[in-house]
Amino acid sequence: MDDLFRGVRAHGSLFGSSALSPPFALHFVDGAPLTLCTSLSGGGWIVPEHGEPEPLHAYDTVVVRGPGTFTFVDEPGTGAEPVACGEFCAVPELGGTRYRRGWRDDGDGPTTLIVGAYPVHGEISRPLLDALPPVLRVDGGGTGDAVLDHLAVEAAVDAPGQQVVLDRLLDWLLVCTLRAWFDRPGGEPPAWWTARRDPVAGPVLRLLHDEPAAPWTVATLAKRAGVSRSTLAKRFAELVGEPPLTYLTRHRMALAADLLTERPDATVAEVARAVGYADPFGFSAAFKRVRGATPSEFRRRPPEKRAAQVLSDRQQEGIVKG
């Protein structure tokens, strides 16, 4: 299941290296698919474009899901003039170049804000995005605190390769934050998150993600899991919500969608083989059933139309089963 996180990489920016004193208002206008916000000191409020303000204290972490924008303010209703952050503060296309923006310290104490923007272009990470609310918040005091200690040290110096280090620390912090969110008491994690810990469904999910091109059958999967076919089929469907081979088909098509866009020189036959289909015609038919377009049609369409043509999970399930 690690591949769901592997496609999520930060293009980070640092705001307020020494002082960000009230009143302040940073308006993040990029609408990135995911934006991670954390405070090393001080605090403020995350105000989403649609939704209620969320407090951000030192060592808390808030994750905002795009495309909505948001603002970081000293307090709701602040009198500060919003400063647009995006084009001049954080440009993912330029590798997330680091910028510092400071306000005069009026004695109330500085706030140091760290922000990481996540483009998340691929389809493999789509189940992760779909499982998140528009805004989520995790209190400090968990496993992410150690990462924030490293961030605090790195943010205090200028050194070669610093942006790369900050970005990878932000990746680490995002994973810690999402794990804490999914595992929180009373939470409702996605089915695939809960199922990964099951002694039957968990090993099968890992096999399907680690070896998606293998010629899996229910019988071979059951043998690897050490259970009968009927036990596997029943347990997997109960926890994941669909049979193992239906899940595998959808996962293969997500892999194929990424390959079609990331490797423009690869032929349809090469993509088919990479996801476990010896016959490119059979692959094309399966891709159209799940994605609503042939591989060639999918590849020709602009990115925004590729996303629009992806069927809902309910529609995908009905088509694949049919």
Side-chain angles (χ1 to χ4, degrees):
M1 305 297 291
D2 288 349
D3 53 349
L4 297 178
F5 290 91
R6 196 169 292 126
V8 182
R9 292 282 178 162
H11 290 254
S13 295
L14 167 65
F15 297 88
S17 62
S18 57
L20 209 173
S21 297
F24 57 79
L26 299 177
H27 183 44
F28 293 85
V29 299
D30 285 325
L34 277 184
T35 305
L36 180 146
C37 307
T38 190
S39 176
L40 297 180
S41 61
W45 293 76
I46 299 291
V47 183
E49 182 179 7
H50 306 290
E52 296 297 318
E54 286 283 351
L56 183 69
H57 306 113
Y59 277 54
D60 291 349
T61 302
V62 169
V63 177
V64 182
R65 195 187 72 196
T69 63
F70 67 95
T71 306
F72 180 64
V73 299
D74 57 302
E75 60 181 24
T78 182
E81 187 71 22
V83 175
C85 289
E87 183 180 356
F88 300 107
C89 290
V91 186
E93 291 75 13
L94 299 181
T97 303
R98 180 169 57 89
Y99 294 85
R100 289 192 170 107
R101 197 176 279 280
W103 272 255
R104 181 177 170 182
D105 189 351
D106 295 322
D108 293 329
T111 290
T112 302
L113 175 69
I114 299 290
V115 176
Y118 293 79
V120 197
H121 295 303
E123 288 298 320
I124 286 299
S125 298
R126 181 61 50 188
L128 178 63
L129 285 181
D130 291 344
L132 303 179
V135 180
L136 67 87
R137 178 176 172 274
V138 172
D139 293 338
T143 57
D145 282 12
V147 190
L148 283 166
D149 289 336
H150 287 292
L151 271 171
V153 172
E154 190 62 33
V157 299
D158 281 309
Q162 184 180 40
Q163 187 61 57
V164 176
V165 175
L166 286 170
D167 284 348
R168 298 295 73 81
L169 287 171
L170 287 168
D171 291 342
W172 183 9
L173 180 60
L174 178 67
V175 172
C176 291
T177 300
L178 295 184
R179 284 196 295 199
W181 171 259
F182 288 143
D183 289 335
R184 72 194 189 284
E188 297 180 359
W192 51 263
W193 182 265
T194 304
R196 85 194 198 286
R197 292 177 173 171
D198 183 74
V200 175
V204 171
L205 277 170
R206 285 189 287 273
L207 286 171
L208 298 181
H209 280 260
D210 293 344
E211 304 174 52
W216 296 115
T217 65
V218 174
T220 57
L221 288 169
K223 183 176 181 180
R224 293 286 294 272
V227 297
S228 68
R229 287 178 294 177
S230 59
T231 298
L232 170 61
K234 182 175 184 295
R235 189 66 177 164
F236 196 96
E238 285 177 348
L239 293 177
V240 182
E242 61 189 350
L245 297 189
T246 301
Y247 181 93
L248 174 61
T249 297
R250 289 197 303 105
H251 181 58
R252 282 173 167 175
M253 296 308 110
L255 282 172
D258 285 349
L259 290 173
L260 288 166
T261 55
E262 295 168 2
R263 295 171 51 187
D265 296 332
T267 66
V268 171
E270 289 171 338
V271 173
R273 287 194 294 272
V275 297
Y277 286 80
D279 176 14
F281 297 104
F283 162 70
S284 295
F287 190 90
K288 186 170 184 178
R289 285 198 305 272
V290 174
R291 292 279 155 175
T294 67
S296 298
E297 291 169 343
F298 181 87
R299 177 177 263 168
R300 286 195 298 266
R301 294 181 181 180
E304 61 273 13
K305 290 191 176 181
R306 290 175 193 150
Q309 76 183 35
V310 176
L311 303 174
S312 69
D313 288 345
R314 187 183 298 272
Q315 290 172 320
Q316 288 180 18
E317 183 177 353
I319 290 174
V320 172
K321 286 181 179 179

Short mmCIF file of all heavy atoms in Angstrom, two decimals, residues 3-65:
data_model
loop_
_atom_site.label_atom_id
_atom_site.label_comp_id
_atom_site.label_asym_id
_atom_site.label_seq_id
_atom_site.Cartn_x
_atom_site.Cartn_y
_atom_site.Cartn_z
N ASP A 3 2.53 2.48 -2.26
CA ASP A 3 2.48 3.22 -3.51
C ASP A 3 1.42 4.31 -3.48
O ASP A 3 1.48 5.26 -4.26
CB ASP A 3 2.25 2.29 -4.71
CG ASP A 3 1.04 1.38 -4.54
OD1 ASP A 3 0.48 1.32 -3.43
OD2 ASP A 3 0.66 0.73 -5.53
N LEU A 4 0.41 4.21 -2.61
CA LEU A 4 -0.58 5.27 -2.49
C LEU A 4 0.06 6.56 -1.99
O LEU A 4 -0.39 7.66 -2.32
CB LEU A 4 -1.70 4.85 -1.54
CG LEU A 4 -2.54 3.64 -1.97
CD1 LEU A 4 -3.58 3.32 -0.91
CD2 LEU A 4 -3.21 3.87 -3.30
N PHE A 5 1.12 6.45 -1.19
CA PHE A 5 1.83 7.61 -0.69
C PHE A 5 2.99 8.02 -1.58
O PHE A 5 3.42 9.16 -1.58
CB PHE A 5 2.39 7.33 0.72
CG PHE A 5 1.34 7.24 1.79
CD1 PHE A 5 0.76 6.02 2.11
CD2 PHE A 5 0.92 8.36 2.49
CE1 PHE A 5 -0.19 5.92 3.10
CE2 PHE A 5 -0.04 8.27 3.48
CZ PHE A 5 -0.60 7.04 3.79
N ARG A 6 3.51 7.05 -2.36
CA ARG A 6 4.74 7.30 -3.10
C ARG A 6 4.59 8.39 -4.14
O ARG A 6 5.54 9.11 -4.46
CB ARG A 6 5.21 5.99 -3.75
CG ARG A 6 6.66 6.01 -4.21
CD ARG A 6 7.12 4.62 -4.59
NE ARG A 6 7.21 3.76 -3.42
CZ ARG A 6 6.62 2.57 -3.30
NH1 ARG A 6 5.88 2.10 -4.29
NH2 ARG A 6 6.76 1.86 -2.22
N GLY A 7 3.39 8.55 -4.70
CA GLY A 7 3.19 9.57 -5.71
C GLY A 7 2.95 10.96 -5.15
O GLY A 7 2.75 11.91 -5.90
N VAL A 8 2.99 11.09 -3.83
CA VAL A 8 2.75 12.39 -3.19
C VAL A 8 4.09 12.95 -2.74
O VAL A 8 4.70 12.47 -1.79
CB VAL A 8 1.80 12.23 -1.98
CG1 VAL A 8 1.52 13.58 -1.35
CG2 VAL A 8 0.50 11.57 -2.41
N ARG A 9 4.56 13.99 -3.44
CA ARG A 9 5.85 14.58 -3.13
C ARG A 9 5.70 16.08 -2.96
O ARG A 9 5.03 16.74 -3.74
CB ARG A 9 6.85 14.31 -4.27
CG ARG A 9 7.24 12.84 -4.41
CD ARG A 9 8.25 12.46 -3.36
NE ARG A 9 8.60 11.04 -3.44
CZ ARG A 9 9.69 10.54 -2.88
NH1 ARG A 9 10.52 11.31 -2.23
NH2 ARG A 9 9.93 9.25 -2.97
N ALA A 10 6.36 16.62 -1.94
CA ALA A 10 6.20 18.03 -1.62
C ALA A 10 7.01 18.91 -2.56
O ALA A 10 8.10 18.55 -3.00
CB ALA A 10 6.64 18.30 -0.19
N HIS A 11 6.44 20.06 -2.86
CA HIS A 11 7.18 21.19 -3.40
C HIS A 11 7.00 22.28 -2.34
O HIS A 11 6.01 23.00 -2.34
CB HIS A 11 6.61 21.61 -4.75
CG HIS A 11 6.88 20.62 -5.83
ND1 HIS A 11 7.82 20.82 -6.80
CD2 HIS A 11 6.36 19.39 -6.05
CE1 HIS A 11 7.85 19.76 -7.62
NE2 HIS A 11 6.97 18.89 -7.17
N GLY A 12 7.95 22.36 -1.42
CA GLY A 12 7.71 23.10 -0.19
C GLY A 12 8.17 24.53 -0.23
O GLY A 12 9.03 24.92 -1.02
N SER A 13 7.62 25.32 0.65
CA SER A 13 8.05 26.71 0.84
C SER A 13 8.02 27.03 2.32
O SER A 13 7.20 26.49 3.07
CB SER A 13 7.14 27.67 0.07
OG SER A 13 7.25 27.47 -1.31
N LEU A 14 8.89 27.89 2.71
CA LEU A 14 9.00 28.30 4.11
C LEU A 14 8.56 29.75 4.23
O LEU A 14 9.00 30.59 3.47
CB LEU A 14 10.45 28.15 4.58
CG LEU A 14 10.83 28.81 5.91
CD1 LEU A 14 10.08 28.16 7.04
CD2 LEU A 14 12.32 28.72 6.12
N PHE A 15 7.69 30.04 5.17
CA PHE A 15 7.20 31.40 5.38
C PHE A 15 7.50 31.82 6.81
O PHE A 15 7.16 31.10 7.75
CB PHE A 15 5.70 31.49 5.12
CG PHE A 15 5.34 31.18 3.71
CD1 PHE A 15 5.08 29.88 3.33
CD2 PHE A 15 5.28 32.17 2.76
CE1 PHE A 15 4.77 29.57 2.02
CE2 PHE A 15 4.97 31.87 1.45
CZ PHE A 15 4.71 30.57 1.08
N GLY A 16 8.10 33.00 7.00
CA GLY A 16 8.33 33.53 8.33
C GLY A 16 9.49 32.86 9.02
O GLY A 16 9.31 32.14 9.99
N SER A 17 10.70 33.07 8.51
CA SER A 17 11.85 32.39 9.09
C SER A 17 12.18 32.92 10.48
O SER A 17 12.71 32.22 11.31
CB SER A 17 13.07 32.55 8.18
OG SER A 17 13.39 33.93 8.06
N SER A 18 11.86 34.21 10.75
CA SER A 18 12.19 34.76 12.06
C SER A 18 10.97 35.31 12.78
O SER A 18 10.81 35.10 13.98
CB SER A 18 13.25 35.85 11.92
OG SER A 18 12.79 36.86 11.04
N ALA A 19 10.12 36.05 12.05
CA ALA A 19 8.97 36.65 12.74
C ALA A 19 7.81 36.82 11.78
O ALA A 19 7.95 37.31 10.67
CB ALA A 19 9.35 38.01 13.33
N LEU A 20 6.66 36.39 12.25
CA LEU A 20 5.41 36.61 11.53
C LEU A 20 4.44 37.04 12.62
O LEU A 20 3.79 36.23 13.24
CB LEU A 20 4.95 35.31 10.86
CG LEU A 20 4.12 35.39 9.58
CD1 LEU A 20 3.93 34.01 8.99
CD2 LEU A 20 2.80 36.05 9.81
N SER A 21 4.42 38.36 12.87
CA SER A 21 3.71 38.86 14.05
C SER A 21 2.36 39.45 13.67
O SER A 21 2.19 39.97 12.57
CB SER A 21 4.56 39.93 14.75
OG SER A 21 5.77 39.36 15.22
N PRO A 22 1.39 39.38 14.57
CA PRO A 22 0.06 39.88 14.27
C PRO A 22 0.06 41.41 14.12
O PRO A 22 0.86 42.10 14.76
CB PRO A 22 -0.76 39.44 15.47
CG PRO A 22 0.22 39.26 16.57
CD PRO A 22 1.49 38.81 15.91
N PRO A 23 -0.86 41.89 13.29
CA PRO A 23 -1.83 41.11 12.48
C PRO A 23 -1.20 40.63 11.19
O PRO A 23 -0.35 41.30 10.61
CB PRO A 23 -2.94 42.13 12.21
CG PRO A 23 -2.21 43.45 12.14
CD PRO A 23 -1.10 43.35 13.16
N PHE A 24 -1.59 39.45 10.73
CA PHE A 24 -1.08 38.95 9.45
C PHE A 24 -2.16 38.13 8.77
O PHE A 24 -3.08 37.61 9.39
CB PHE A 24 0.20 38.12 9.63
CG PHE A 24 0.06 36.93 10.55
CD1 PHE A 24 -0.53 35.75 10.13
CD2 PHE A 24 0.54 36.98 11.86
CE1 PHE A 24 -0.65 34.65 10.97
CE2 PHE A 24 0.43 35.90 12.71
CZ PHE A 24 -0.17 34.73 12.27
N ALA A 25 -2.02 38.03 7.45
CA ALA A 25 -2.96 37.24 6.65
C ALA A 25 -2.25 36.83 5.36
O ALA A 25 -1.92 37.66 4.53
CB ALA A 25 -4.22 38.04 6.31
N LEU A 26 -1.96 35.53 5.24
CA LEU A 26 -1.36 34.97 4.03
C LEU A 26 -2.43 34.20 3.29
O LEU A 26 -2.99 33.24 3.82
CB LEU A 26 -0.21 34.03 4.38
CG LEU A 26 0.99 34.63 5.13
CD1 LEU A 26 1.99 33.53 5.44
CD2 LEU A 26 1.64 35.72 4.30
N HIS A 27 -2.73 34.62 2.09
CA HIS A 27 -3.78 33.98 1.29
C HIS A 27 -3.13 33.07 0.26
O HIS A 27 -2.45 33.54 -0.66
CB HIS A 27 -4.64 35.04 0.60
CG HIS A 27 -5.78 34.46 -0.18
ND1 HIS A 27 -6.59 33.45 0.30
CD2 HIS A 27 -6.24 34.75 -1.43
CE1 HIS A 27 -7.50 33.15 -0.60
NE2 HIS A 27 -7.31 33.91 -1.66
N PHE A 28 -3.31 31.75 0.41
CA PHE A 28 -2.70 30.77 -0.48
C PHE A 28 -3.64 30.50 -1.65
O PHE A 28 -4.72 29.93 -1.48
CB PHE A 28 -2.37 29.49 0.29
CG PHE A 28 -1.29 29.70 1.31
CD1 PHE A 28 -1.60 30.18 2.57
CD2 PHE A 28 0.04 29.46 1.00
CE1 PHE A 28 -0.61 30.41 3.51
CE2 PHE A 28 1.04 29.69 1.93
CZ PHE A 28 0.72 30.17 3.19
N VAL A 29 -3.22 30.92 -2.82
CA VAL A 29 -4.12 31.00 -3.97
C VAL A 29 -3.93 29.87 -4.98
O VAL A 29 -4.68 29.78 -5.95
CB VAL A 29 -3.96 32.35 -4.70
CG1 VAL A 29 -4.30 33.49 -3.75
CG2 VAL A 29 -2.53 32.52 -5.24
N ASP A 30 -2.93 28.99 -4.77
CA ASP A 30 -2.65 27.98 -5.79
C ASP A 30 -3.71 26.89 -5.88
O ASP A 30 -3.91 26.31 -6.93
CB ASP A 30 -1.28 27.33 -5.51
CG ASP A 30 -0.13 28.24 -5.89
OD1 ASP A 30 -0.26 28.98 -6.88
OD2 ASP A 30 0.88 28.22 -5.18
N GLY A 31 -4.38 26.58 -4.77
CA GLY A 31 -5.36 25.51 -4.78
C GLY A 31 -4.74 24.16 -5.09
O GLY A 31 -5.32 23.36 -5.83
N ALA A 32 -3.55 23.88 -4.52
CA ALA A 32 -2.88 22.61 -4.75
C ALA A 32 -3.75 21.46 -4.27
O ALA A 32 -4.55 21.62 -3.33
CB ALA A 32 -1.54 22.58 -4.02
N PRO A 33 -3.64 20.28 -4.89
CA PRO A 33 -4.43 19.13 -4.43
C PRO A 33 -4.31 18.86 -2.93
O PRO A 33 -5.28 18.51 -2.28
CB PRO A 33 -3.85 17.98 -5.25
CG PRO A 33 -3.38 18.62 -6.51
CD PRO A 33 -2.83 19.96 -6.09
N LEU A 34 -3.10 19.02 -2.39
CA LEU A 34 -2.90 18.91 -0.95
C LEU A 34 -1.92 20.00 -0.52
O LEU A 34 -0.92 20.24 -1.19
CB LEU A 34 -2.31 17.55 -0.57
CG LEU A 34 -3.21 16.34 -0.41
CD1 LEU A 34 -2.39 15.15 0.07
CD2 LEU A 34 -4.35 16.61 0.55
N THR A 35 -2.21 20.64 0.61
CA THR A 35 -1.27 21.59 1.19
C THR A 35 -1.16 21.30 2.68
O THR A 35 -2.17 21.21 3.39
CB THR A 35 -1.73 23.04 1.00
OG1 THR A 35 -1.96 23.29 -0.39
CG2 THR A 35 -0.67 24.01 1.50
N LEU A 36 0.06 21.11 3.14
CA LEU A 36 0.33 20.83 4.55
C LEU A 36 0.81 22.11 5.21
O LEU A 36 1.71 22.79 4.69
CB LEU A 36 1.37 19.72 4.68
CG LEU A 36 1.75 19.30 6.10
CD1 LEU A 36 2.05 17.80 6.15
CD2 LEU A 36 2.99 20.07 6.59
N CYS A 37 0.22 22.45 6.35
CA CYS A 37 0.60 23.64 7.10
C CYS A 37 0.93 23.23 8.53
O CYS A 37 0.15 22.52 9.17
CB CYS A 37 -0.53 24.66 7.13
SG CYS A 37 -1.18 25.12 5.52
N THR A 38 2.06 23.70 9.03
CA THR A 38 2.42 23.43 10.41
C THR A 38 3.16 24.63 10.98
O THR A 38 3.78 25.40 10.24
CB THR A 38 3.27 22.16 10.54
OG1 THR A 38 3.41 21.80 11.91
CG2 THR A 38 4.65 22.34 9.91
N SER A 39 3.06 24.83 12.27
CA SER A 39 3.70 25.96 12.92
C SER A 39 4.79 25.46 13.86
O SER A 39 4.55 24.60 14.70
CB SER A 39 2.66 26.76 13.71
OG SER A 39 3.27 27.81 14.43
N LEU A 40 5.99 26.01 13.69
CA LEU A 40 7.08 25.65 14.59
C LEU A 40 7.02 26.45 15.88
O LEU A 40 7.53 26.02 16.91
CB LEU A 40 8.42 25.89 13.90
CG LEU A 40 8.70 25.05 12.65
CD1 LEU A 40 10.06 25.40 12.07
CD2 LEU A 40 8.63 23.56 12.98
N SER A 41 6.40 27.62 15.82
CA SER A 41 6.24 28.45 17.01
C SER A 41 5.06 29.38 16.79
O SER A 41 4.65 29.63 15.66
CB SER A 41 7.51 29.27 17.27
OG SER A 41 7.79 30.14 16.17
N GLY A 42 4.50 29.88 17.88
CA GLY A 42 3.35 30.75 17.75
C GLY A 42 2.14 30.00 17.24
O GLY A 42 1.93 28.83 17.57
N GLY A 43 1.35 30.65 16.41
CA GLY A 43 0.17 30.00 15.87
C GLY A 43 -0.73 30.97 15.16
O GLY A 43 -0.38 32.14 14.94
N GLY A 44 -1.90 30.49 14.79
CA GLY A 44 -2.87 31.30 14.06
C GLY A 44 -4.07 30.45 13.70
O GLY A 44 -4.37 29.47 14.39
N TRP A 45 -4.70 30.79 12.60
CA TRP A 45 -5.90 30.08 12.15
C TRP A 45 -5.80 29.81 10.66
O TRP A 45 -5.40 30.68 9.89
CB TRP A 45 -7.15 30.89 12.43
CG TRP A 45 -7.47 31.07 13.88
CD1 TRP A 45 -6.85 31.91 14.76
CD2 TRP A 45 -8.46 30.37 14.63
NE1 TRP A 45 -7.39 31.78 16.01
CE2 TRP A 45 -8.39 30.85 15.96
CE3 TRP A 45 -9.42 29.40 14.30
CZ2 TRP A 45 -9.23 30.38 16.96
CZ3 TRP A 45 -10.26 28.94 15.30
CH2 TRP A 45 -10.17 29.42 16.61
N ILE A 46 -6.18 28.60 10.26
CA ILE A 46 -6.34 28.26 8.86
C ILE A 46 -7.81 28.51 8.50
O ILE A 46 -8.70 27.90 9.11
CB ILE A 46 -5.97 26.80 8.57
CG1 ILE A 46 -4.50 26.54 8.91
CG2 ILE A 46 -6.27 26.43 7.12
CD1 ILE A 46 -3.51 27.23 8.00
N VAL A 47 -8.04 29.40 7.55
CA VAL A 47 -9.40 29.73 7.15
C VAL A 47 -9.62 29.23 5.72
O VAL A 47 -9.13 29.85 4.76
CB VAL A 47 -9.66 31.25 7.22
CG1 VAL A 47 -11.12 31.55 6.86
CG2 VAL A 47 -9.32 31.78 8.61
N PRO A 48 -10.30 28.11 5.53
CA PRO A 48 -10.52 27.59 4.18
C PRO A 48 -11.52 28.43 3.41
O PRO A 48 -12.34 29.15 4.00
CB PRO A 48 -11.05 26.17 4.42
CG PRO A 48 -11.69 26.23 5.78
CD PRO A 48 -10.89 27.24 6.57
N GLU A 49 -11.45 28.33 2.10
CA GLU A 49 -12.38 29.06 1.24
C GLU A 49 -13.82 28.68 1.55
O GLU A 49 -14.72 29.53 1.56
CB GLU A 49 -12.06 28.77 -0.22
CG GLU A 49 -12.93 29.51 -1.22
CD GLU A 49 -12.54 29.20 -2.66
OE1 GLU A 49 -11.68 28.30 -2.87
OE2 GLU A 49 -13.10 29.84 -3.57
N HIS A 50 -14.04 27.40 1.81
CA HIS A 50 -15.36 26.91 2.18
C HIS A 50 -15.22 26.08 3.45
O HIS A 50 -14.62 25.01 3.44
CB HIS A 50 -15.96 26.05 1.07
CG HIS A 50 -16.00 26.73 -0.27
ND1 HIS A 50 -16.84 27.79 -0.54
CD2 HIS A 50 -15.29 26.51 -1.40
CE1 HIS A 50 -16.65 28.19 -1.79
NE2 HIS A 50 -15.73 27.43 -2.33
N GLY A 51 -15.72 26.57 4.55
CA GLY A 51 -15.61 25.81 5.78
C GLY A 51 -15.26 26.71 6.96
O GLY A 51 -15.02 27.91 6.82
N GLU A 52 -15.21 26.09 8.13
CA GLU A 52 -14.95 26.81 9.36
C GLU A 52 -13.44 26.95 9.60
O GLU A 52 -12.66 26.09 9.21
CB GLU A 52 -15.57 26.07 10.54
CG GLU A 52 -17.10 25.99 10.48
CD GLU A 52 -17.74 27.36 10.52
OE1 GLU A 52 -17.26 28.20 11.33
OE2 GLU A 52 -18.69 27.60 9.76
N PRO A 53 -13.02 28.04 10.26
CA PRO A 53 -11.60 28.21 10.60
C PRO A 53 -11.11 27.09 11.52
O PRO A 53 -11.84 26.59 12.36
CB PRO A 53 -11.57 29.57 11.32
CG PRO A 53 -12.81 30.28 10.87
CD PRO A 53 -13.84 29.20 10.67
N GLU A 54 -9.85 26.72 11.34
CA GLU A 54 -9.22 25.69 12.17
C GLU A 54 -8.03 26.32 12.89
O GLU A 54 -7.17 26.93 12.25
CB GLU A 54 -8.73 24.52 11.31
CG GLU A 54 -9.82 23.60 10.81
CD GLU A 54 -10.34 22.66 11.88
OE1 GLU A 54 -9.73 22.59 12.97
OE2 GLU A 54 -11.36 21.99 11.62
N PRO A 55 -7.94 26.17 14.22
CA PRO A 55 -6.78 26.72 14.93
C PRO A 55 -5.52 25.94 14.60
O PRO A 55 -5.56 24.74 14.37
CB PRO A 55 -7.17 26.55 16.40
CG PRO A 55 -8.12 25.39 16.40
CD PRO A 55 -8.89 25.48 15.11
N LEU A 56 -4.40 26.65 14.57
CA LEU A 56 -3.11 26.02 14.33
C LEU A 56 -2.15 26.51 15.41
O LEU A 56 -1.67 27.64 15.36
CB LEU A 56 -2.58 26.37 12.94
CG LEU A 56 -1.26 25.72 12.54
CD1 LEU A 56 -1.45 24.21 12.34
CD2 LEU A 56 -0.70 26.33 11.25
N HIS A 57 -1.91 25.64 16.39
CA HIS A 57 -0.97 25.96 17.45
C HIS A 57 0.41 25.39 17.09
O HIS A 57 0.54 24.64 16.13
CB HIS A 57 -1.45 25.38 18.79
CG HIS A 57 -2.83 25.79 19.15
ND1 HIS A 57 -3.89 24.90 19.20
CD2 HIS A 57 -3.35 27.01 19.45
CE1 HIS A 57 -5.00 25.54 19.54
NE2 HIS A 57 -4.70 26.82 19.70
N ALA A 58 1.39 25.74 17.89
CA ALA A 58 2.74 25.22 17.66
C ALA A 58 2.72 23.69 17.65
O ALA A 58 2.15 23.07 18.54
CB ALA A 58 3.68 25.73 18.74
N TYR A 59 3.32 23.13 16.62
CA TYR A 59 3.47 21.69 16.41
C TYR A 59 2.16 21.00 16.01
O TYR A 59 2.13 19.78 15.86
CB TYR A 59 4.09 21.01 17.63
CG TYR A 59 5.60 21.10 17.64
CD1 TYR A 59 6.25 22.32 17.53
CD2 TYR A 59 6.40 19.97 17.72
CE1 TYR A 59 7.63 22.42 17.52
CE2 TYR A 59 7.79 20.04 17.70
CZ TYR A 59 8.39 21.28 17.60
OH TYR A 59 9.76 21.36 17.58
N ASP A 60 1.07 21.74 15.82
CA ASP A 60 -0.11 21.17 15.18
C ASP A 60 0.14 21.10 13.67
O ASP A 60 0.99 21.81 13.13
CB ASP A 60 -1.35 22.04 15.42
CG ASP A 60 -1.82 22.02 16.86
OD1 ASP A 60 -1.32 21.18 17.63
OD2 ASP A 60 -2.68 22.85 17.19
N THR A 61 -0.64 20.28 12.99
CA THR A 61 -0.55 20.18 11.53
C THR A 61 -1.96 20.19 10.95
O THR A 61 -2.84 19.48 11.43
CB THR A 61 0.18 18.90 11.09
OG1 THR A 61 1.49 18.88 11.66
CG2 THR A 61 0.32 18.85 9.57
N VAL A 62 -2.16 21.00 9.92
CA VAL A 62 -3.42 21.05 9.20
C VAL A 62 -3.13 20.72 7.74
O VAL A 62 -2.17 21.22 7.15
CB VAL A 62 -4.09 22.44 9.30
CG1 VAL A 62 -5.27 22.55 8.33
CG2 VAL A 62 -4.58 22.68 10.73
N VAL A 63 -3.95 19.85 7.15
CA VAL A 63 -3.85 19.51 5.74
C VAL A 63 -5.10 20.01 5.04
O VAL A 63 -6.22 19.70 5.47
CB VAL A 63 -3.68 17.99 5.52
CG1 VAL A 63 -3.65 17.66 4.04
CG2 VAL A 63 -2.40 17.50 6.20
N VAL A 64 -4.92 20.80 3.99
CA VAL A 64 -6.02 21.36 3.21
C VAL A 64 -6.04 20.68 1.85
O VAL A 64 -5.02 20.63 1.17
CB VAL A 64 -5.89 22.88 3.04
CG1 VAL A 64 -7.09 23.43 2.27
CG2 VAL A 64 -5.77 23.58 4.39
N ARG A 65 -7.20 20.17 1.46
CA ARG A 65 -7.35 19.53 0.15
C ARG A 65 -7.90 20.53 -0.85
O ARG A 65 -8.90 21.19 -0.58
CB ARG A 65 -8.28 18.32 0.27
CG ARG A 65 -8.21 17.38 -0.94
CD ARG A 65 -9.27 16.32 -0.83
NE ARG A 65 -10.59 16.88 -1.07
CZ ARG A 65 -11.74 16.27 -0.74
NH1 ARG A 65 -11.71 15.12 -0.12
NH2 ARG A 65 -12.89 16.82 -1.01
#
